[in-house]
Amino acid sequence: MTERDHKKAAKEFAAYWKDKGYEKGESQPFWIELLSKVYGVADATHYIQFEDQVHLDHTSFIDGYIPETKVLIEQKGLGKDLRKPIKQSDGTRLTPFQQAKRYSAELPYSERPRWIITCNFSEFLIYDMENPNAEPEQILLKDLPKEYYRLNILVNTKDENIRREMAVSIKAGELVGKTYDALKARYVDPDSAASLKSLNILCVRLVFCLYAEDADVFNRNLFHDYIAGFKPNHIRSALIDLFHVLNTPTDQRDPYLDDELSAFPFVNGGLFKEDHIEIPQFTEDIKQLIIQDASADFDWSEISPTIFGAVFESTLNPETRRKGGMHYTSIENIHKVIDPLFLNDLREELEDIKLLKQNSTRKKRLHDFCDKLASLTFLDPACGSGNFLTETYLSLRMLENEALKLIYADQIVMEMGDIVKVKIDQFYGIEINDFAVTVAKTALWIAENQMLQKTMEIVHTNIDFLPLTTNAYIVEGNALRLDWNDVVEKEKLDYIMGNPPFVGARLMSKEQKDDLLSVFGKIKGLGNLDYVSGWYRKAAEYQKNTSIHSALVSTNSVTQGEQPSILFKPLFTDGLIFDFCHRTFRWDSEASIKAHVHCVIIGFSYVGIRKKYIYDGERISIANNINTYLLDSENAFVESRRSPICDVPKMDFGNMPNDGGFLSDFSTEEKNHIVSIYPHAEKLFHPFLGATEFINGKERWCLWLKDISPVDYIDIPPICEAIDNVKELRENSKRDATKRLAETPMLFGEIRQPDNKYILVPRHSSENRRYIPMGYFDSTTIAGDSNLILPDANLYLFGVLTSNVHMAWMRTVCGRLKSDYRYSINIVYNNFPWPNPSDEQKERIKDTAQKILDARSKYSECSYAQLYGDKFTYFTDLLRAHQDNDRAVMQAYGFSIKMTESKCVAELMKMYQKLTEQ
């Protein structure tokens, strides 16, 4: 189905089902028609399962489940509020989503849903179970004709062709790895830089020859038969001769050349230019590996050059091999960058041209479209093995071939001329690794050949691929040190794209830190920026005063914590605009060993685009403005500050023992043993909570000797021993500040324990929790410095901090450790805009806060990890207490209880701006 087919079908479906919707009688026809008519599912009755049993303490039934895409559906009748709790058969009150989550928890792991959709016929709410605490995406039935694509999760599976190409390319990588290992063992000095470089070049050339004979660039089996005709000890000399011939134009070759060599064409392009590479002697096993396993038993013409380039580089990269796995970008993830950057618009333009009725007008527009494709220029300033460039080339050539098919309509084209206009010399790259540069060029040549084969099928004539006449302009160098204008003049460029290196601010080498210094100069906060920020800055400065559009992949940390203000505030001041974004998602490698990185994609320019899109998983929304936190909201920069912007108590770190555990790490058994011998030691021990102990409910005790006279413990040997150990530890420290602490070895290194009630906030918490568990303690419980503490606390403060409003703010602006929350004083707490409640509203929040504490106390045998984990909805009274507290806090802000999380944060951002402008 074309886009217009989908829209037409969606319009008819929405019109038919308007004001219809009986839960029991019409649910199944509704979903079957939606899948078959709107999304083109051929056998919808078998594609979706209805009324599968799930066993809780009673038997329940799942309304709908799609195994192919792992979508679970909870259907309600027309007019039912999907956000309102409904009484269940067991007496509990759950929203439809909470009901579906309960079903999900009882399914086998392999069947648990990736998506949960709740529906009442007129409204769909989509929940992404990769981020179950985020707000749902809402789609109204009346809007389905223009927003049908937002329900593509029902049918969106990976294309089988991509899967097959991927499998073939990974198999090719395994063959390269075997060949590499076998050849390396034959070198005299296999680990020398010269030998490794020669080995890499040799493998690239062998692969090109293997591909060329399978893809009809060479005559069929030409390379296989050539190698097969030599004894192993003669193959070395045979390859030296062959590589020289491949680099020599046919009219300049020795006229007495053997027939076996003269049959090979001139390649050009520089791949065989360097004559003097070191080639080792071959063995019979290596010969058989090449002519049998890698040639006779394998078809190289089916590889995906996009994937294989990266597989090839990873296979031959010693550093990657030492780490035991390959990491490269999937085709699916590449399209998350290039589709919204330019490819969607080009596809839409071609679809519009197809609809033109007049043949001559349509053909002219198709020719113009091909010229436009040929006029576009691309730069990847961290191109690696060229997978972004290669996939972009393939995508443009596919569009060009589609246009050519419409132009020539099965004609036999006698005069070819320059029918193929998209060339690989439209693509520029910068890469620091010399071998990756060679691989990237080779991948583009393979892509060029594959697309020529497809063009020849359209125009029914032959096009010569060799000798190579176009060049991929891949430059070897450090992208953060080079002037990109020396690679391609910015006036010539249209798009920048890529996936720069992922290196955190605290993990960079000295050279990488110097790279950033060369880009940013000595700016405040430079040490907090990740390495990828250098590419954002370089791209933004390069494209200033142009219409260039860029899109970069980066770790999501550039949109969290302190980095957004440091990196993007000056760029936004200069007029930079975010055109589109993918909010945090997991960027997986397509390798046997997965590498998971949490990433964002940001598209940006100085000229903007017609419609701004925010992608959140499979969900898409149109934005008025995209700010640095990737929200549809006004631009705001939450900067680190030392004190709160509102009149609330100051938050601080917990107590830092700096004791090697001698004062702060007693188990209950150890503490009880000492007290059993020395009963008067009881008062010296206090409960001690690090973040781990607090969240996981582990008992730990510390010696708290502040304001305690030595007379009370001088006769207790284990306590004296602990103090002596602390003294020795601190005296032997290399830090002067720690050495000074040896003067008071009976005390924690830093004491910040409140004298009254305080709120405890763990500094790190799982992203899977909707609420960060916060404690409410008196002064006898000692908080460690893996927590933050808010002294002079009352129930009102506790209620606001533990509310969904504060959690939404925290999720947006906090830093992350991987994807887990990193709560900070200077970014999260000090910048949080507090409400101005009436006395009545404040009392209501105090009341709901107390009910949260009361509900927790009923489950004292459970840890906070259990209470606030994936079974949170099982603790219905705790869930209800939080929901009541959320409503009370939202009322204090004047927010509607139906407000989405992103809209809530947008309002908080407005409040923040007003508070900071004062």
Side-chain angles (χ1 to χ4, degrees), residues 13 17 19-20 30-31 73-84 96 117-127 136-144 151 898 900:
F13 177 84
W17 283 98
D19 299 328
K20 294 185 178 71
F30 177 84
W31 284 97
I73 297 160
E74 181 61 28
Q75 184 70 37
K76 299 299 177 187
L78 184 68
K80 294 287 186 180
D81 189 338
L82 296 175
R83 294 176 174 83
K84 186 176 181 180
I117 299 179
T118 63
C119 179
N120 63 5
F121 292 94
S122 65
E123 178 186 18
F124 303 84
L125 295 182
I126 307 171
Y127 296 84
E137 192 76 17
Q138 180 194 52
I139 302 173
L140 300 177
L141 178 68
K142 65 183 179 65
D143 294 330
L144 194 64
L151 276 173
K898 293 186 177 182
T900 63

Side-chain angles (χ1 to χ4, degrees), residues 8 23 59 63 191 256 565 578 615 634 661 735 775 829 912 917:
K8 182 174 182 292
E23 180 179 346
T59 300
D63 291 334
D191 293 316
Y256 302 102
S565 176
F578 283 179
Y615 299 82
E634 297 176 9
R735 296 180 69 247
Y829 179 77
Y912 167 80
E917 287 169 0

Side-chain angles (χ1 to χ4, degrees), residues 787-840:
N787 302 303
L788 303 171
I789 55 176
L790 186 66
D792 303 317
N794 55 46
L795 286 171
Y796 165 71
L797 295 172
F798 178 76
V800 175
L801 287 180
T802 200
S803 71
N804 60 346
V805 177
H806 185 65
M807 294 299 153
W809 174 264
M810 177 277 302
R811 271 189 279 274
T812 300
V813 304
C814 76
R816 301 273 178 144
L817 184 64
K818 294 184 179 177
S819 60
D820 290 341
Y821 307 134
R822 179 186 287 169
Y823 193 103
S824 70
I825 300 172
N826 292 354
I827 292 292
V828 180
Y829 179 77
N830 286 347
N831 287 301
F832 179 59
W834 287 73
N836 293 306
S838 65
D839 291 342
E840 182 182 348

Side-chain angles (χ1 to χ4, degrees), residues 674-745:
I674 294 172
V675 171
S676 68
I677 302 172
Y678 310 98
H680 61 289
E682 179 80 52
K683 68 176 184 179
L684 308 178
F685 286 95
H686 286 242
F688 181 81
L689 294 177
T692 299
E693 288 77 22
F694 170 68
I695 291 175
N696 295 300
K698 295 181 178 179
E699 280 194 337
R700 180 176 168 186
W701 298 83
C702 70
L703 284 170
W704 191 252
L705 304 179
K706 182 176 180 288
D707 299 327
I708 300 293
S709 170
V711 173
D712 291 330
Y713 56 80
I714 198 169
D715 61 341
I716 306 176
I719 292 181
C720 293
E721 182 182 355
I723 293 171
D724 290 341
N725 286 334
V726 174
K727 182 178 179 64
E728 182 181 358
L729 177 79
R730 292 175 179 176
E731 285 176 339
N732 292 329
S733 173
K734 294 180 180 179
R735 296 180 69 247
D736 290 338
T738 303
K739 286 182 177 180
R740 287 194 293 272
L741 291 176
E743 297 172 6
T744 53

